[in-house]
Amino acid sequence: MKIKPLGSRILVKLPDTDTETKSPGGIIILAKESQYEDRVKGLVVAIGPKVEEREMLNKEIFFEKYAGFTLEFEGVKYTMMFETDVLALA
């Protein structure tokens, strides 16, 4: 099954934030999304038929932290948002 956005919505794959790293002292640090980070980066994996910026597909974008809504599909986290919620292409 595949998710297909409608209208001017886009589907953005979020980066995997469940990885862990070790500090020089051996402490395990979980790389969770910072609660103070206002902008988020993700990869556009699908666009709706009314999206004007067609070159956005398969590009990384920046968007506000609370733009759209988050969903999980087949173990992968996505955000579905409107095209107007995009701040910049990376």
Side-chain angles (χ1 to χ4, degrees), residues 35 37-38 40 63-69 85:
Q35 62 180 343
E37 195 159 324
D38 293 337
V40 181
F63 55 93
E64 294 287 338
K65 181 177 182 178
Y66 297 108
F69 66 94
D85 292 331

Side-chain angles (χ1 to χ4, degrees), residues 23-71:
S23 71
I27 298 172
I28 296 175
I29 303 168
L30 293 176
K32 295 285 184 186
E33 185 178 337
S34 171
Q35 62 180 343
Y36 302 108
E37 195 159 324
D38 293 337
R39 284 157 190 80
V40 181
K41 188 165 90 169
L43 178 69
V44 178
V45 293
I47 57 176
K50 294 185 179 179
V51 172
E52 293 178 11
E53 299 290 331
R54 305 302 287 181
E55 70 272 1
M56 209 182 299
L57 187 60
N58 297 318
K59 300 266 178 143
E60 286 193 329
I61 60 165
F62 291 96
F63 55 93
E64 294 287 338
K65 181 177 182 178
Y66 297 108
F69 66 94
T70 304
L71 59 113

Side-chain angles (χ1 to χ4, degrees), residues 1-3 71-78:
M1 185 189 297
K2 188 175 176 181
I3 300 174
L71 59 113
E72 189 169 329
F73 182 72
E74 296 179 353
V76 180
K77 290 185 181 180
Y78 298 96

